[in-house]
Amino acid sequence: MESSEEEDDFPSIESIIPQSKVDSLYQSHTEKGIRKLCCELLDLKDAVENLSGNMQTKYLAFLRISEEAKEMKYELIELRKHISSQGILVQDLMTGVSRELEEWNQTGDKTQEATQEPESVELEDPTTDELDDHKKFLENIDVLLAEHKIEEALEALDAEEKNSAELKTSGDAFLTEGSSYKSEFLGRKEMLEDQLVQIAEQPSISVLELKKALSGLIKLGKGPLAHQLLLKFYGSRIQKSIEVFLPSCSNCPRTYPTTLSRLVFSIISLTRKESGLIFGDDPVYTNRIVQWAEWEIEFFVRVIKENAPSSETISALRAASVCVQASLNYCLAVESQGLKLSKLVLVLLHPFIEEVLELNFRRARKVVLGLMKPDESMPFSPHFAPPLSTFAPSSDSVLVKSGIRFLSIVEDLLEQLTPLTILHFGGNILSRIGHLFDKYMDSLIKALPGPSDDDNIAELKEVIPFRAETDSEQLSILGIAFTIVDELLPNAVVTLWKQQNGSQVLKDGPAENAKSNPNMTAELKEWKRHLQHSFDKLRDHFCRQYVLSFIYSREGKTRLNAQIYLNGNGEDLHWDSDPLPSLPFQQLATVAGDVLLGKEKIQKILLARLTETVVMWLSDEQEFWVIFEDGSGSLQPLGLQQLILDMHFTVEIARFAGYPSRHVHQIASAITARAIRAFSARGIDPNSALPEDEWFVETAKSAINKLLLGAEGSEMSEIDEDDLIIHDEIVSESDDTISSLSTEESFQSFVSASMGELDSPADLTDPES
């Protein structure tokens, strides 16, 4: 029993399953596959190693066969030399034997042979000797060609051609043997020509070896072929130089055209020089060089475009400008060699310059209008801030920042230009700057209240950085725009133009400057007129909106309507008093306020336009005149006196502003005449109701002193000569005491002979100017 229990606790060894059986039972198919794949990979590895070994063995065998082929070639050349020398020996032997036989025959039979043999010798021996000499010469040439003794072969061929009569003759003048010899001779020349061409076309040939090969071709009468090989050699040299330099273009994106220009034009100049030394100054070869140079310049411009930075970047503008400068300078250097390439360079570069300018100014336009953020690398010039900040509460205002951004962008674009770029593309650049300024003025117009004439501008629909609600803000816009157009922008452009022009004078001499200066001056004048016209649009829009605001929008005494001339109490309009014009006209005179203080020029320009706008409105506004002419209102003489004083004040304001336009005088006279007719129709006698002409003139001037100059009426004489145009003869020829503005016929008396007519705005032109 005990033993059986032990057997149960410890089973016999025979019951243990072997590992091999476990492996065979439980080994997965994946493992079998992996093992099989490993075996196949090992077999493949062995096969690859065997193949590599076979390839290496075959490669070594190939190299050995190549060496043997070279040795065989040399052996063949030696064998050919040996055969040629043996042939020469056999020929000499035959010649000697024939001579011996001839002498023996002559001594053996002197009677019969004397009559026959000499004739045969005379007919046969010279021909035989010539043939032998020709054969010997050709064999000698073959040896020289086989040994690549080019110079010796050339000398031999040249000497033979000069000395052989058969080679000099042509047509049927020589025997069949001679024509055969000539054809064989020409064949040897062709073989020599092929060898020279092969030498000249070798990629690694030196300049000295090239010159020797070309000289050989010239001696063979192949000058055009030699010249073509010269151009091909230097053309490949240009391509190799460019290929070596191209990887480094990205390291200097703004200046790489200078290096490429130097590479290309220096090789063109060297080619022209070498051609002159080898071929002389033959016009045919010179024309071929010009054609070749044009092809190389086209390739050069294509490389410039392909490797330039993105066309809308400032780096691309600098690269294009540098390319123009460098290329034209090198063109000027090679002109002394008879190569005039400047026009071609300008024609080829023109589309590239146009594209870069267009995309750069398009990017600048987006930055100015706020459609995109400016490049962080572009610095905003701080020297623009002080003159612009005088019109705004702080230099950080949105308006000042917009002006600084505009000027900085223009300055950054101008700094990329070179003298020759300005000389040849200055008009294009100025027109684009003018267009950019137009867009900037359009954005400022959008900032002013009221509809503008440019509501159809799509890119300005939603781009309004701020709104100018108050009079002060609107005047700030006007002052900043005027400072830019009158001072900052022209100074930046003209200064650069003068600097670039001065540098050209030093480089090219006064003659070149004399050619370019008139054109540049005319372009600058036209550009300034364009800027002024664009600013006039902003100014006119401001004046229209401002006049309309105090005509229609304002309440109380400052509103301009017919009611201010009705029911006047006459407290301040006594003839012996010193009255002022109506409140709207007082406000008109002081519209600039403290915002434009110290800026007399813009103040006068603004006053001139405002006065013209007001009188034009009064002349055409029927709602204003219907109150006087329909009989519904109560008219008093003081109302007529006030209206005429306001018209005199408007005329004097225009003179004070330096804008003595005949148009303003005509409209003011017409308004006065119409008012007199209306009041006369209501029973008011103008002769008794109105003071003398002098009273209106002096009162208007005194009001200007008070409102604009802060002076007393007694100080009027201090400004008469400087700011006002005094009328010495304004009294009518009749005995009437009516004002000079009292009738339509007398308005001409307001036009002084000393008045200078100024340019009227584009949309409100003076009909007589």
Side-chain angles (χ1 to χ4, degrees):
M1 292 294 292
E2 294 178 359
S3 62
S4 62
E5 291 176 358
E6 290 178 359
E7 289 177 358
D8 293 333
D9 294 336
F10 302 96
S12 64
I13 297 175
E14 295 177 357
S15 63
I16 298 174
I17 300 173
Q19 182 65 36
S20 61
K21 188 174 182 180
V22 172
D23 294 340
S24 63
L25 289 175
Y26 298 103
Q27 187 178 28
S28 65
H29 293 287
T30 303
E31 185 177 354
K32 291 180 180 179
I34 292 173
R35 290 180 181 274
K36 183 177 179 182
L37 183 60
C38 290
C39 294
E40 292 176 354
L41 289 174
L42 291 174
D43 295 339
L44 181 60
K45 180 182 178 182
D46 294 338
V48 169
E49 290 177 353
N50 293 334
L51 181 61
S52 299
N54 292 336
M55 289 180 64
Q56 186 174 6
T57 303
K58 291 178 180 180
Y59 178 69
L60 294 175
F62 174 74
L63 293 178
R64 186 174 62 256
I65 292 172
S66 299
E67 295 295 331
E68 291 176 356
K70 290 182 180 179
E71 294 177 359
M72 183 63 69
K73 181 179 178 181
Y74 293 136
E75 290 178 359
L76 287 174
I77 292 173
E78 294 295 331
L79 181 60
R80 190 171 182 176
K81 291 180 184 179
H82 180 68
I83 292 173
S84 179
S85 61
Q86 293 299 321
I88 292 172
L89 293 176
V90 171
Q91 185 68 30
D92 292 341
L93 181 60
M94 291 176 63
T95 302
V97 170
S98 63
R99 287 178 180 175
E100 291 292 334
L101 289 174
E102 181 184 349
E103 293 176 359
W104 182 76
N105 289 331
Q106 287 178 354
T107 56
D109 192 2
K110 292 182 179 180
T111 57
Q112 189 175 357
E113 294 295 334
T115 59
Q116 295 180 355
E117 286 299 327
E119 294 180 359
S120 64
V121 171
E122 288 177 0
L123 293 174
E124 295 177 4
D125 284 350
T127 304
T128 304
D129 292 341
E130 263 183 50
L131 291 175
D132 293 340
D133 292 339
H134 292 165
K135 245 187 222 182
K136 199 182 296 184
F137 172 77
L138 294 175
E139 289 173 356
N140 185 32
I141 293 297
D142 290 338
V143 173
L144 294 176
L145 293 177
E147 296 177 353
H148 293 280
K149 295 181 178 180
I150 304 297
E151 294 181 0
E152 295 180 10
L154 275 172
E155 292 177 358
L157 290 172
D158 186 55
E160 178 67 13
E161 194 168 16
K162 290 178 180 179
N163 298 328
S164 175
E166 296 177 1
L167 297 176
K168 292 180 181 179
T169 56
S170 59
D172 299 330
F174 47 84
L175 301 175
T176 304
E177 291 82 358
S179 63
S180 175
Y181 171 65
K182 185 172 183 179
S183 62
E184 290 183 2
F185 179 85
L186 294 177
R188 299 308 190 276
K189 288 184 70 173
E190 291 179 359
M191 293 173 61
L192 180 58
E193 177 186 333
D194 292 339
Q195 287 191 2
L196 290 172
V197 171
Q198 290 178 3
I199 293 173
E201 289 181 342
Q202 289 180 1
S204 59
I205 187 174
S206 64
V207 177
L208 184 60
E209 293 174 344
L210 176 68
K211 289 182 179 181
K212 290 182 179 179
L214 297 181
S215 299
L217 289 172
I218 293 173
K219 290 180 180 179
L220 292 175
K222 300 295 180 179
L225 176 60
H227 196 264
Q228 183 179 354
L229 291 173
L230 175 70
L231 299 180
K232 184 177 180 181
F233 169 77
Y234 282 106
S236 63
R237 193 167 175 179
I238 289 176
Q239 292 185 355
K240 290 178 182 177
S241 301
I242 291 177
E243 290 172 0
V244 170
F245 176 72
L246 282 183
S248 60
C249 284
S250 58
N251 298 329
C252 47
R254 297 191 176 198
T255 58
Y256 76 94
T258 302
T259 304
L260 285 179
S261 299
R262 179 175 56 80
L263 289 175
V264 172
F265 284 94
S266 62
I267 295 178
I268 290 176
S269 176
L270 180 61
T271 306
R272 178 65 183 93
K273 181 179 178 181
E274 294 295 337
S275 175
L277 294 174
I278 298 174
F279 301 93
D281 294 329
D282 191 337
V284 175
Y285 295 133
T286 302
N287 292 335
R288 289 182 178 178
I289 290 180
V290 172
Q291 293 177 356
W292 169 80
E294 291 175 354
W295 296 333
E296 295 300 333
I297 291 173
E298 290 180 6
F299 171 70
F300 158 72
V301 173
R302 188 165 61 250
V303 171
I304 291 289
K305 293 180 181 179
E306 292 173 353
N307 293 274
S310 178
S311 296
E312 65 179 3
T313 61
I314 202 70
S315 298
L317 179 59
R318 182 61 181 175
S321 184
V322 167
C323 184
V324 172
Q325 182 73 24
S327 300
L328 293 181
N329 279 335
Y330 285 118
C331 285
L332 185 64
V334 299
E335 278 188 8
S336 60
Q337 297 177 310
L339 302 178
K340 296 183 179 181
L341 305 171
S342 301
K343 291 184 179 179
L344 174 67
V345 169
L346 288 174
V347 169
L348 294 176
L349 287 177
H350 188 268
F352 177 50
I353 300 295
E354 284 287 331
E355 177 186 353
V356 173
L357 286 174
E358 173 62 26
L359 293 180
N360 265 271
F361 275 91
R362 188 179 299 176
R363 173 185 56 82
R365 200 156 53 241
K366 292 179 181 179
V367 174
V368 168
L369 300 179
L371 298 176
M372 65 177 292
K373 293 183 179 180
D375 189 0
E376 296 180 357
S377 62
M378 187 187 72
F380 288 121
S381 301
H383 60 275
F384 294 129
L388 297 180
S389 299
T390 57
F391 302 99
S394 66
S395 59
D396 294 332
S397 67
V398 177
L399 181 59
V400 173
K401 286 183 177 179
S402 69
I404 294 175
R405 181 168 61 246
F406 169 77
L407 291 170
S408 298
I409 290 172
V410 173
E411 185 181 55
D412 192 32
L413 292 172
L414 292 176
E415 287 177 351
Q416 313 310 318
L417 305 178
T418 56
L420 290 177
T421 305
I422 292 175
L423 179 63
H424 295 284
F425 299 95
N428 192 333
I429 295 167
L430 286 177
S431 65
R432 293 181 185 276
I433 294 175
H435 185 62
L436 183 63
F437 182 75
D438 293 344
K439 297 299 181 182
Y440 178 58
M441 290 295 101
D442 290 338
S443 68
L444 294 183
I445 290 174
K446 287 291 183 179
L448 294 174
S452 70
D453 296 332
D454 299 315
D455 287 334
N456 57 343
I457 301 177
E459 61 184 351
L460 292 175
K461 286 284 187 183
E462 304 297 334
V463 183
I464 303 176
F466 62 95
R467 280 285 190 182
E469 302 294 343
T470 65
D471 292 348
S472 177
E473 290 174 346
Q474 296 173 30
L475 289 170
S476 296
I477 290 178
L478 205 62
I480 287 178
F482 179 78
T483 303
I484 292 175
V485 73
D486 186 64
E487 178 184 349
L488 299 180
L489 184 57
N491 287 349
V493 173
V494 173
T495 301
L496 176 66
W497 251 242
K498 288 181 178 179
Q499 289 176 352
Q500 306 292 38
N501 191 35
S503 63
Q504 277 305 110
V505 173
L506 296 177
K507 182 175 293 187
D508 300 335
E512 181 69 17
N513 180 48
K515 292 181 182 178
S516 63
N517 212 10
N519 294 334
M520 295 174 66
T521 303
E523 290 170 354
L524 285 172
K525 287 183 178 179
E526 181 62 29
W527 175 72
K528 288 181 180 179
R529 280 194 290 267
H530 178 87
L531 295 184
Q532 186 62 46
H533 177 71
S534 184
F535 170 76
D536 288 346
K537 291 172 57 181
L538 173 66
R539 180 200 61 187
D540 295 343
H541 178 78
F542 168 82
C543 292
R544 286 194 300 269
Q545 299 308 316
Y546 188 84
V547 170
L548 289 175
S549 69
F550 78 78
I551 290 174
Y552 295 110
S553 303
R554 301 173 192 255
E555 298 297 335
K557 294 182 179 180
T558 59
R559 181 173 179 178
L560 179 60
N561 53 30
Q563 296 298 327
I564 64 175
Y565 301 111
L566 300 178
N567 304 321
N569 54 21
E571 295 178 357
D572 56 352
L573 274 175
H574 297 294
W575 293 358
D576 56 351
S577 65
D578 194 11
L580 293 173
S582 304
L583 285 178
F585 287 90
Q586 294 181 33
Q587 185 181 10
L588 178 68
T590 59
V591 63
D594 296 333
V595 177
L596 302 180
L597 186 63
K599 303 294 181 180
E600 291 79 6
K601 192 172 182 179
I602 179 60
Q603 283 181 322
K604 291 182 177 182
I605 291 174
L606 182 58
L607 285 174
R609 174 55 69 200
L610 284 173
T611 54
E612 188 172 32
T613 305
V614 169
V615 296
M616 289 182 68
W617 176 85
L618 286 175
S619 175
D620 299 331
E621 183 60 32
Q622 292 303 318
E623 293 182 3
F624 179 85
W625 291 104
V626 72
I627 297 176
F628 297 116
E629 297 172 348
D630 65 354
S632 61
S634 175
L635 302 182
Q636 299 293 332
L638 292 178
L640 178 60
Q641 181 181 349
Q642 184 69 61
L643 178 58
I644 295 176
L645 175 61
D646 290 343
M647 291 300 99
H648 271 278
F649 181 76
T650 304
V651 170
E652 296 302 329
I653 282 292
R655 292 177 185 168
F656 175 79
Y659 186 70
S661 171
R662 187 175 294 127
H663 191 210
V664 174
H665 292 259
Q666 290 173 345
I667 296 174
S669 298
I671 292 172
T672 301
R674 186 174 181 180
I676 289 174
R677 289 195 300 269
F679 277 78
S680 298
R682 302 288 292 277
I684 298 175
D685 183 11
N687 291 327
S688 60
L690 299 177
E692 299 290 336
D693 285 344
E694 290 81 358
W695 184 87
F696 285 105
V697 174
E698 295 301 327
T699 301
K701 292 180 179 180
S702 177
I704 291 176
N705 274 273
K706 289 181 179 180
L707 297 175
L708 295 181
L709 303 177
E712 297 295 334
S714 60
E715 298 176 1
M716 187 66 190
S717 60
E718 297 181 4
I719 63 169
D720 282 346
E721 296 181 359
D722 297 331
D723 299 302
L724 301 178
I725 301 176
I726 302 176
H727 297 284
D728 295 329
E729 298 176 1
I730 61 173
V731 181
S732 175
E733 293 181 358
S734 65
D735 296 331
D736 299 335
T737 58
I738 301 175
S739 168
S740 58
L741 285 175
S742 61
T743 63
E744 288 184 281
E745 292 79 6
S746 64
F747 70 84
Q748 292 290 348
S749 64
F750 277 83
V751 183
S752 174
S754 61
M755 279 185 197
E757 292 298 329
L758 300 181
D759 292 335
S760 296
D763 56 339
L764 296 172
T765 56
D766 188 347
E768 298 185 27
S769 60

